[in-house]
Amino acid sequence: MKKKIAIIDDHVLIAQAIKGIISNFTNFEVLFECENGKEFINTLSRKKQVPDIVLLDISMPIMNGFETAKWLQEHHPEVMIMVLSMQTDEESINKMIKNGARSYLLKNVHPRDLEMALNTMLENGYYYPDWASRLIFSGMNKVKGKLSNKLSDREKEFLRYCITEMSYKEIAEEMHCSPRTVEGYRDSLFEKLDLKSRVGLAVYAIKNDTIPQSV
């Protein structure tokens, strides 16, 4: 069964173009389109059918993408949010992640990459292209926060290095242990936090305000 998508974008032509692109995808179909978050909420109340995925713009009148994502996180956390925007600043990306976004793409994304991103998000729970991942990682080193008490001291130390661009081998050298030990810390974090990648660790830290101090 195809996954149902709602498109929220105040540019009607863009929304229609995205709908046409998605109509060619194997696993997805558009349920409806709305011009802002308020219209989306009203449409949900009438249709009583909740989409599996929302493709969400940020800059919209009446109720913007930040507000809409926050509403979705509070009322329908099961809905996966993929941002489609032209905003590439670190603040917008981090704010959307905190408000529940699972993916962040630019509107000029190639249709092939959009389909891949949708499928990856369904499989892994999130998808961020390389440019967004770099901003996420760089931003984490600018903010101080508290780490979850789920983690051991060595896991916290590993996470501090993991959010940099250091390779696992370089992290092992810095922590004065073997690469196999570092892989053990990584796997432990993945299991404890139910994650699958280093980007996942970054997303977890941002959403839960557990951004570690810079090393």
Side-chain angles (χ1 to χ4, degrees):
M1 182 179 295
K2 291 187 175 183
K3 295 294 183 181
K4 304 295 191 296
I5 294 178
I7 301 171
I8 309 178
D9 194 311
D10 61 321
H11 296 93
V12 178
L13 287 177
I14 292 178
Q16 288 294 315
I18 295 171
K19 179 180 180 180
I21 290 170
I22 293 175
S23 68
N24 295 313
F25 293 172
T26 303
N27 300 323
F28 307 95
E29 63 182 355
V30 174
L31 190 61
F32 55 81
E33 311 101 72
C34 298
E35 294 186 26
N36 57 68
K38 189 66 174 179
E39 183 182 339
F40 171 74
I41 294 172
N42 293 337
T43 301
L44 278 186
S45 66
R46 294 197 309 271
K47 290 184 174 293
K48 299 187 182 302
Q49 185 175 6
V50 180
D52 302 295
I53 298 169
V54 165
L55 298 186
L56 182 61
D57 190 15
I58 293 179
S59 299
M60 297 181 292
I62 304 176
M63 187 172 181
N64 64 32
F66 298 122
E67 297 164 332
T68 306
K70 187 174 182 179
W71 184 90
L72 274 168
Q73 191 173 41
E74 293 173 353
H75 295 86
H76 293 284
E78 75 280 7
V79 175
M80 305 186 83
I81 301 172
M82 173 177 283
V83 178
L84 275 180
S85 174
M86 291 309 295
Q87 296 182 209
T88 59
D89 60 289
E90 182 182 307
E91 181 180 358
S92 294
I93 295 174
N94 288 346
K95 188 173 181 179
M96 288 304 295
I97 291 174
K98 286 183 178 180
N99 288 356
R102 306 288 194 91
S103 181
Y104 198 110
L105 301 178
L106 297 180
K107 285 185 176 180
N108 62 0
V109 63
H110 192 282
R112 179 180 61 252
D113 294 330
L114 174 59
E115 184 175 20
M116 179 274 293
L118 285 166
N119 282 312
T120 302
M121 185 175 68
L122 283 177
E123 181 180 351
N124 296 336
Y126 54 85
Y127 173 79
Y128 294 93
D130 290 342
W131 68 267
S133 298
R134 285 192 292 271
L135 283 178
I136 292 170
F137 285 132
S138 65
M140 291 183 68
N141 282 323
K142 298 175 183 176
V143 184
K144 295 182 178 180
K146 295 181 179 179
L147 288 171
S148 168
N149 56 15
K150 293 181 180 180
L151 311 183
S152 70
D153 289 341
R154 287 293 273 178
E155 287 169 344
K156 293 174 185 179
E157 183 182 359
F158 167 73
L159 183 55
R160 293 187 182 103
Y161 289 113
C162 191
I163 63 169
T164 70
E165 295 185 356
M166 295 172 63
S167 68
Y168 287 132
K169 182 179 179 181
E170 290 170 334
I171 294 173
E173 292 174 353
E174 196 69 31
M175 293 182 68
H176 305 291
C177 62
S178 69
R180 186 180 296 273
T181 300
V182 160
E183 290 173 1
Y185 295 142
R186 177 201 62 194
D187 294 342
S188 177
L189 284 173
F190 287 168
E191 182 176 356
K192 287 182 178 181
L193 304 178
D194 192 24
L195 299 170
K196 298 180 181 180
S197 75
R198 287 176 70 164
V199 174
L201 293 174
V203 172
Y204 168 87
I206 292 172
K207 287 187 67 175
N208 294 278
D209 291 320
T210 56
I211 302 173
Q213 295 183 11
S214 174
V215 293

